[in-house]
Structures are given as structure tokens and as C-alpha cells.
Amino acid sequence: MNIQQLCDQLRATVSLRRELAEMVRDLVKRDGMSEVELLRHIEAEGVTELEELRQRLKKLRYPNLAVAEEKFAAAKKKLRLPEAIHLHPSPFFEKKELKLEMKFHSPEEFRKLVDKLNEVADNGVGDLFL
Amino acid sequence: MKTAVAYEPAEILVEKGTEHFTMTRRILEEYAAVLVRTIADCDEARLQVEAQKNPKTLGKQILALVRHKGKFLKPRAYVPHYLCYNYHYLYWGTNCHLECTYCILQAFLNNPLITVFVNTNDMLRELEEDFSQPDTFWRVSAGEVADSLALEPATGLMQELIPFFARQNRASLELKTKTSLVDRLLQLEHRGRTILSWSLNTPRVISEEELKTSDLDDRLAAAKRAQEAGYPVGFHFDPMVHYEEWEKDYRGLIQKVFSQIDPRHVAWVSLGGLRFLPDMKKIIEERFPKSRLIYGEQIRGTDGKSRYFRPLRSEMFRKMAGWLREISPDFFIYLCMETSEVWQESLGWVPESDAHLSSLMDARARRTWS
């Protein structure tokens, strides 16, 4: 099976198909293996979902970035932020900065979110910075 | 030792009206056996080459001698988010035959021909005028859109520029090369105003990616001769390439360089990681299918260029700076096109601005004047 067939099977969107195909092409050239060999290796690890396939390829193509993303996700999870608060790293962690996004509908909600942020500010925020 | 492949054009195009210029005559004399064609302008030849299958390769076989009508001194382009010192580059010609796989000129230049601007008198007049402005210091690089010395045997341009800069009190010149073509420069009066710089890399990167350049030994032997002739020298470890044995190879490179070069007379050392415009990936794949450079862990930087993931760059530069400081704590080390994060993580300090870095470089350039 090649990547296009796998994308058909997993119903990938056009943009995702392009992203996956580029990663496969790069890996094939970098590691000197065939596309079929690479995909067989991935399938052997039981990858059947689209997002799983993407993450697996990403880990192979960008191993350090994938680890950093995992670490960031784990550190964020540990903060137990409410759903109304979103934290985003700089794209590819290029800048050492985070973007904070909050959604609220009243001064009261806003106050609660700020209290939560104050609470986490002293506890574990440092782990978010790469 | 392997010297850089000498440039041998298959054809020379001479723009009408420039036949009698000293530079034109000098170049035609050097290439007396080469076919010469007089043209009204370069556009037709450029379009013909661009219509071919390998325009970037074919274009390098044609040497165009033309008049430059604009400014010869151009300020470097400003790039947001990435620190870089201010300087002017001397637009004396464009393109290069040395065939580095990663060369940005492949995507940057819209003219595939190797071009030399032969109205040297206009250039010198413009420089005289600019350099007479009070309170301005001009740090000029002649290696931005061409290797400074690759065409020197034919043009002799730097042999004119070095004594010219020796007479200036508000300007310094940096020549950047991957060749060893310095011998005709050694006897010139330079008064420390010209810095001869080499782009250096590991023997593996040189042999796999810098195809027609001098090898490391040849470049170092030339740098040593330059130093013995009293020139301040500079080294640019750029582009550093991240591969499995990079650490051992780059450490060995530093040791080798400074077993031959006196660190006291080094004007500056720069470090830069491999970076390329998005269009370059396709160009490299087509022109240099054996190259593996573009399959490293490169992400898209905020300037749109592909570059190594930040922690990889910081680690490479931090280790290089450490090895350099073991040789001499007095090296002036700067990073080329880097974020303040990477400066802090690798060198432990951050220039306040491009202007701040520039003023430090100005002082460094003046330090070697006699």
C-alpha cells in the first residue's frame, strides 16, 4: 500500500493528504527506504487512525519537535485549566513565548478565570517553556 | 589539497557600449579563447537560458559583462524577528559557479547568468561620494550575491578595491570566499581596512555540499597566507549542518582551524545554521538529488525560511562558542540571522538591537586599522 491509498482508506482531507505525502517522501529520501517499507513498518505498529498516522510520521520526521509537543501537552494538562482557557506555544516553539486565549461571558466568569490563572501562575507554568 | 574549480565560461556576452571599458577588456583578455557576442542587453539571453531545461546550470556557463545603472552599495534587507547587523553589500556582480547545493542565490536571483558589472569607474565614484559623508561608518561586504574571489583571476576587481579602501577612513571592506585565490592580494596596501573571510565547514559538508569550492586545507592555507600578509581575517561557520556526527566533526574543525591560524588577529567569527527559502527544497531536489540537507529537522521560521528546530540550533551554537572560547576568550562571536532566544541560549547575551550589534562590529573592524 502507498501513502495515497492509505489516505483514501482513512479519508484524509486534501491538506492533510499533502502534509502526510510530504513527510513520507522526505523520510523515504532521508532514510533510503521504500515507501511501501516505511508504511509497512508503521502499520506493523498498529496505526489505523488518521491522527495516529500523522503523529507517527511526525515523530519519525521531526523527532525533537514531536517530543517538545508531547512535553508541552503534558505540562498543560497538569495545570488543569478550564476549557475556556487556551494556551498556545509559538509555532514550532521558535519564540520562547506563549499565547493565552480566554473566553468568558460576564465579569464574574472573567474573575473566576483570572483567579484560576493566578493559582497556576505559581505552580507548574515554568514547564510550559521550552 | 583541492583548489576551487576555476571559472571557464562557454560564452561571454558583452553589452553594447561597454566594449572599451577597462574591466571588459581585462576579462576578455583573460578568456581570449572564449566565444564573445555583443548584445543590446541581457534580457534576450536570459530568456533563452530560462526556456531551457536546466537554466540554473546553463546560466553559469555564460558570463555577462554589463553596465550597472543603479546603486552599487545596497543596504542589507531587514528581517523581522531575527537579529542581524547592518551593513551594505557591494553589488559588483551576481551569481557564482562554485555550486554549493544550499546556495540561496539559486532562489534569490532572477538572472541565471554569471554577471559582472564592468562600469567600475561609476562604482568607485559612488563609493568616494558615499564615504565622504561625515559621521557615517560604512561596513561593506563584497560577498553577498557572489563569492568575493571566485572571479578575481579574471576581473582583478578586489585588487583595485583593497588599495581604494586602504585610503578610506570611514569604511571597511569584507571579502568572503570559499576559494584560496588570495595570492594577488597579498602584496597590496590594505592598512587593515579589508578583512579577508572564509566560509568554513566540516570536510564532509565541503565534499558533499560545496561541490566546486576549495577544500578545507586549501582555504586554511590561504587564510594563513593572508594573515602573514597582515590582513585581519574572519571566519563564518555557516551554514552549520546538523547530522549524526556533527559534534565530533565541528569540534575537529575548530581545532584544525586554530592550529594554523593565530586567533589574536581574527576580526570576527560568525555562526549560522542551515536555512533556506521554501522554493529551495524543490531546486535542491532537482539539481542535487544526492544532497540530504533538506531532510534535516527543519521547521518554518517566523521569516518563512526553513531552519533547524530552535533547541538544535541553540545546542550547535552553544557548543561551537564553547570550543572557540577554549581557544581564545577574546573571539568576537556573533550569530547570523538568529532570534534573541537563540542568542541567549547559545552565547549567553543578546544585542539590544541590530544597530547595537552593528556598532560592536564597527569597533571590531576599526581595531585592526593601521
Side-chain angles (χ1 to χ4, degrees), chain B residues 149 152 158-163 165-166 173-175 181-198 222-235 261-262 264-267 368-370:
Chain B
L149 298 180
E152 186 62 13
M158 303 310 155
Q159 292 166 70
E160 283 188 65
L161 286 175
I162 290 171
F165 272 80
L173 173 68
E174 183 177 19
L175 307 185
L181 298 166
V182 295
D183 291 337
R184 292 186 196 177
L185 314 180
L186 299 179
Q187 302 304 320
L188 301 173
E189 189 187 18
H190 56 77
R191 298 178 66 215
R193 262 73 163 172
T194 295
I195 295 162
L196 295 184
S197 290
W198 277 265
K224 197 171 177 211
R225 294 200 296 282
Q227 222 177 29
E228 284 163 1
Y231 280 98
V233 296
F235 296 105
I261 299 296
D262 183 346
R264 290 172 301 171
H265 306 296
V266 172
T368 54
W369 285 14
S370 57

Side-chain angles (χ1 to χ4, degrees), chain B residues 119-186:
Chain B
N119 47 330
T120 315
N121 285 344
D122 292 340
M123 177 197 293
L124 295 175
R125 219 176 354 255
E126 181 190 315
L127 295 181
E128 287 275 17
E129 221 175 277
D130 284 343
F131 297 165
S132 67
Q133 291 173 27
D135 306 323
T136 307
F137 187 75
W138 300 78
R139 223 168 343 84
V140 177
S141 165
E144 190 76 8
V145 282
D147 182 286
S148 302
L149 298 180
L151 299 184
E152 186 62 13
T155 67
L157 177 63
M158 303 310 155
Q159 292 166 70
E160 283 188 65
L161 286 175
I162 290 171
F164 174 85
F165 272 80
R167 296 192 296 274
Q168 308 304 320
N169 281 319
R170 295 191 189 94
S172 75
L173 173 68
E174 183 177 19
L175 307 185
K176 291 184 188 172
T177 190
K178 291 186 186 115
T179 75
S180 57
L181 298 166
V182 295
D183 291 337
R184 292 186 196 177
L185 314 180
L186 299 179

Side-chain angles (χ1 to χ4, degrees), chain A residues 35-72:
Chain A
E35 188 173 324
V36 174
E37 227 176 325
L38 172 69
L39 295 176
R40 198 180 298 138
H41 173 68
I42 287 173
E43 281 170 341
E45 289 177 13
V47 174
T48 51
E49 299 288 323
L50 206 48
E51 188 50 30
E52 227 181 327
L53 172 66
R54 184 168 172 263
Q55 288 307 325
R56 186 69 195 114
L57 284 171
K58 200 169 179 184
K59 237 180 192 166
L60 290 172
R61 179 67 185 89
Y62 304 103
N64 290 286
L65 175 63
V67 168
E69 284 177 345
E70 276 172 13
K71 273 188 182 168
F72 179 81

Side-chain angles (χ1 to χ4, degrees), chain A residues 22 25-26 29-30 61-66 68 90-97 130, chain B residues 82 281 285 292 294-300 307 309-313 339-341 345:
Chain A
E22 188 173 357
R25 205 169 52 99
D26 287 355
K29 292 200 172 166
R30 187 191 72 185
R61 179 67 185 89
Y62 304 103
N64 290 286
L65 175 63
S90 151
F92 307 108
F93 301 93
E94 181 65 354
K95 302 290 290 173
K96 216 169 181 170
E97 64 187 23
L130 181 69
Chain B
Y82 292 88
K281 192 170 177 185
E285 277 177 336
R292 291 288 167 269
I294 48 179
Y295 309 122
E297 197 164 349
Q298 290 115 0
I299 52 88
R300 181 68 61 91
R307 53 184 76 224
F309 183 45
R310 173 166 58 86
L312 301 183
R313 291 175 1 240
T339 60
S340 48
E341 283 87 347
E345 288 163 355

Side-chain angles (χ1 to χ4, degrees), chain B residues 84-85 174 176 235-236 268-272 331-337 343 347 349 351 357 361:
Chain B
C84 186
Y85 60 92
E174 183 177 19
K176 291 184 188 172
F235 296 105
H236 302 286
W268 44 60
V269 175
S270 79
L271 307 174
F331 277 134
F332 183 80
I333 305 169
Y334 68 90
L335 303 182
C336 199
M337 301 291 250
W343 271 83
L347 299 186
W349 72 285
L357 180 57
M361 302 274 295

Side-chain angles (χ1 to χ4, degrees), chain B residues 276-294:
Chain B
F276 50 89
L277 294 165
D279 292 352
M280 284 289 294
K281 192 170 177 185
K282 194 165 170 266
I283 295 171
I284 295 174
E285 277 177 336
E286 281 174 10
R287 297 195 68 221
F288 307 106
K290 285 185 189 162
S291 174
R292 291 288 167 269
L293 285 183
I294 48 179

